[in-house]
Amino acid sequence: MSAMIHPDEIQLRLARFPQLCRQARLKVTPQRSAVYAMLAATGSHPTPESIHLAVREELPNLSLATVYKILDQFAAHGLVHKIPNPNQAARYDARMDNHHHTVCGACGRIGDVLLEPLHRDLERLPALEGFQISRVDVVLRGLCAECAATDRRTAS
Amino acid sequence: MSAMIHPDEIQLRLARFPQLCRQARLKVTPQRSAVYAMLAATGSHPTPESIHLAVREELPNLSLATVYKILDQFAAHGLVHKIPNPNQAARYDARMDNHHHTVCGACGRIGDVLLEPLHRDLERLPALEGFQISRVDVVLRGLCAECAATDRRTAS
DNA sequence: TTAGATGCAAATCTTTTGCAGTGCG
DNA sequence: CGCACTGCAAAAGATTTGCATCTAA
């Protein structure tokens, strides 16, 4: 379930970064570059905490508060995707296509699912009564294949 | 968008409450009854805080921690539905049919949307790779009809 | 040059926990 | 009567904020 990312894809994202910042009127700082690079390179969905930990190896003075600020700005300007997580640290990723998430209730792992057709269907729902959709978040909760297997074995 | 609830529907839910508790092996306490009654009677999606405030008029000693415990248990046993809200207090409702939510980015109001067909479609997605769905949360973010109108008027 | 960014520490907000006392079944 | 429940206060996270200092453009 955890996506492996093509080196080419990473390069593509990094190359686009300065331009994305300019569009968002954000200055290109070492901190922002490092955070973005870390996110662009991973297929996992790290928390601000773990992003901080990882980027700190390169920028030892980077503060957690700054990571939060940077992630918020990135999310607000559409550079990254924020996955709010009930009563736990939020998760972030740098994929910006329309994809959604599976959350395993046992191991907590977050996976990606493509649900492209969903958006088209949703936009013409009469039940929306004039609501203008700007983002659709779909979270599928349950058990990932592995935990489901363990569960079956452990079941009383 | 905010649902008006039939008095009959409220009665139906309340009548079912003791039975639901027994199934969940939860004792029927005044606190639990009051919290459930409050949720069953409202079409809004109150926070633990506002539930506490409302129920306190009837049970002045009710503590917020208890409200949290009760809501968690209710949600765990399927008596109510928890809507986790990014970096804000969670919201709860007592409707347990398969419905989803719109969140207005301007006024914060939460509305209900019925997306019954969605579940059937999701369950047979190959992309899930063995993931067992137990709950689907769909959150449509954007602007409600009223805020969208205001927005258009206020736009630069 | 200067508006915007950063780092630190303290504050805030939501939710959880420990524990003694209480009450439902 | 016993175990589950409650209330209180204190703790635990996650995230935000104030402010002095820096730095990208």
Side-chain angles (χ1 to χ4, degrees), chain A residues 27-28 30 48 65 68-69 72 89-90:
Chain A
K27 291 181 179 173
V28 180
Y68 272 102
K69 287 172 193 164
D72 271 0

Side-chain angles (χ1 to χ4, degrees), chain A residues 1-4 43-45 109-112, chain B residues 129:
Chain A
M1 199 77 101
S2 57
M4 186 57 70
S44 72
H45 303 79
R109 217 174 322 184
I110 295 187
D112 295 318
Chain B
E129 296 174 11

Side-chain angles (χ1 to χ4, degrees), chain B residues 15-48:
Chain B
R16 243 188 266 144
F17 180 64
Q19 180 197 343
L20 291 172
C21 279
R22 243 170 281 126
Q23 287 173 356
R25 296 187 199 176
L26 298 174
K27 292 182 176 172
V28 181
T29 65
Q31 291 87 343
R32 285 188 179 141
S33 304
V35 167
Y36 191 80
M38 188 271 179
L39 269 173
T42 184
S44 72
H45 303 80
T47 61

Side-chain angles (χ1 to χ4, degrees), chain A residues 37-53:
Chain A
M38 189 273 178
L39 269 173
T42 184
S44 72
H45 303 79
T47 60
E49 185 83 38
S50 57
I51 295 168
H52 179 227
L53 208 66

